[in-house]
Amino acid sequence: MNKVLAEIIAGIIPHKQTRNRWRGILRFGPINAWRLKREIKKHNEEPSHYLSVCVIAKNEGPYFKEWLDWHIALGVDKFYVYDNESTDNTREILQPYIDAGIVDYTYFPGYRKQLAAYDDCFRRHRYDSRWIAVIDMDEFIVPVENKNLVEFLRPLEPFPVVEINWLVYGSGGQTDKSDRPVMERFRYHSKPDHPLNHHVKSIVNPRRIYSMTGCHEAARINGKAVDSHGRRVRVSWRDRHPEQDVIRINHYAVRSYEEFLEKKLRGRASGPDREVADEYFRRFDLNDIKE
């Protein structure tokens, strides 16, 4: 269904969660949704992977190795990487992971391609992985109570979606780019209850969702989304208190000021960033607590 029409129809639904779910279903298309539900019933095979990550990136070559190795160590066994017209060394950095079968690489050119990349990922890999985490290159999943992500996810298998809160990290006063690892360089973060940390990212069972409604939530086929404690999500993430005690997503939204300016020049995969660069930097440059 046309995106504008989907927004108009979904917009009349007063309950935020229901509205977001139907926004995703309508964008996916009611006929496509009906066909998908029938198709899923025919697939009973075990997926090849337990936990995968879907990501779209542009000129993120210097950051890939740290990001991949961190998540591999925590139990991710497959990455679906969508390259949105990178002109740096992204492909060179990824090649050893591609050769090892860890990265599935797709060149994905075009403007505002984030949701299209997610749609393509679910279309091609819906039956390949038990879980798919939908995150960005400046986000690192950090389990707090569990030793890895597999241990965290096992008890949550009855649910279609797990939503995990951000913990936003600031620049720590660093202005210049460095080759040192991101997680080593940036150790100052926001207060846990900061409004920005209400944001969530989702780990989904791809056989139980239609699509992503945006960057944060998924349109479910059945079942209820849960938070990091395994509690049913009853209100929108905007209306929930952020929790990072079981698991969190370290969100390095700005890195150093030099790196932030590079990021702004690359643009966003979801479309233009309407916020003035310095205003965005000030909003996300949160350094309240040293790790």
Side-chain angles (χ1 to χ4, degrees):
M1 179 179 286
N2 179 277
K3 184 178 178 180
V4 174
L5 184 58
E7 288 291 328
I8 293 172
I9 295 174
I12 66 175
I13 301 173
H15 185 256
K16 287 182 183 178
Q17 275 193 294
T18 306
R19 179 169 67 244
N20 284 343
R21 183 177 179 226
W22 274 99
R23 179 180 288 120
I25 294 171
L26 292 169
R27 190 181 67 83
F28 188 73
I31 294 176
N32 291 334
W34 175 76
R35 287 173 177 165
L36 177 61
K37 290 179 74 172
R38 292 190 64 186
E39 174 192 307
I40 287 172
K41 292 178 180 179
K42 301 176 184 177
H43 288 268
N44 297 312
E45 69 274 16
E46 279 295 311
S48 304
H49 310 289
Y50 186 74
L51 174 59
S52 303
V53 169
C54 178
V55 65
I56 182 169
K58 182 173 184 176
N59 290 338
E60 296 273 9
Y63 306 103
F64 256 113
K65 188 177 189 308
E66 178 190 5
W67 185 85
L68 288 167
D69 290 348
W70 172 266
H71 290 102
I72 290 169
L74 291 175
V76 176
D77 52 356
K78 193 73 171 183
F79 297 83
Y80 304 117
V81 176
Y82 287 78
D83 182 354
N84 187 216
E85 302 181 339
S86 293
T87 57
D88 65 354
N89 63 343
T90 287
R91 183 61 191 256
E92 178 185 346
I93 295 295
L94 291 177
Q95 196 60 53
Y97 299 92
I98 296 171
D99 294 342
I102 297 170
V103 165
D104 183 291
Y105 173 89
T106 302
Y107 187 69
F108 208 69
Y111 175 64
R112 299 190 70 171
K113 299 295 284 187
Q114 187 163 22
L115 289 182
Y118 297 159
D119 288 343
D120 186 76
C121 183
F122 294 133
R123 180 181 61 81
R124 294 171 55 202
H125 304 295
R126 191 175 297 276
Y127 307 104
D128 297 339
S129 190
R130 177 61 181 78
W131 295 98
I132 297 180
V134 184
I135 59 175
D136 295 326
M137 285 294 302
D138 56 5
E139 297 172 332
F140 290 71
I141 308 176
V142 180
V144 177
E145 287 197 346
N146 302 103
K147 62 183 179 181
N148 57 49
L149 297 175
V150 175
E151 184 179 274
F152 166 72
L153 288 168
R154 289 286 188 199
L156 302 176
E157 289 182 1
F159 305 103
V161 180
V162 183
E163 297 182 354
I164 303 172
N165 283 107
W166 275 354
L167 185 62
V168 174
Y169 280 68
S171 70
Q174 298 178 55
T175 58
D176 300 328
K177 189 174 182 178
S178 167
D179 292 332
R180 289 169 52 217
V182 167
M183 297 185 80
E184 178 184 306
R185 284 190 288 148
F186 304 109
R187 308 302 297 271
Y188 288 86
H189 61 72
S190 55
K191 295 177 181 178
D193 61 353
H194 189 279
L196 283 174
N197 292 328
H198 284 248
H199 286 79
V200 297
K201 284 300 181 78
S202 295
I203 303 178
V204 306
N205 178 345
R207 301 185 192 211
R208 297 182 65 186
I209 71 162
Y210 296 112
S211 64
M212 298 299 293
T213 62
C215 305
H216 305 285
E217 297 170 301
R220 293 166 281 107
I221 295 173
N222 57 49
K224 303 297 182 182
V226 294
D227 63 16
S228 58
H229 287 261
R231 298 178 300 222
R232 176 184 169 183
V233 169
R234 297 181 182 275
V235 296
S236 168
W237 54 264
R238 294 177 178 84
D239 303 317
R240 303 199 308 264
H241 188 274
E243 296 180 316
Q244 301 100 354
D245 56 328
V246 174
I247 194 170
R248 66 177 190 260
I249 292 181
N250 287 12
H251 184 33
Y252 300 93
V254 295
R255 303 185 182 115
S256 68
Y257 188 66
E258 180 182 357
E259 289 164 284
F260 167 74
L261 292 179
E262 291 179 353
K263 175 179 178 178
K264 296 292 289 186
L265 288 174
R266 288 197 298 270
R268 300 177 64 180
S270 58
D273 193 337
R274 296 179 178 85
E275 195 164 6
V276 177
D278 283 349
E279 291 178 359
Y280 184 99
F281 186 85
R282 283 193 293 270
R283 192 160 71 95
F284 279 85
D285 187 25
L286 302 171
N287 304 285
D288 301 298
I289 299 171
K290 185 175 181 180
E291 202 171 55

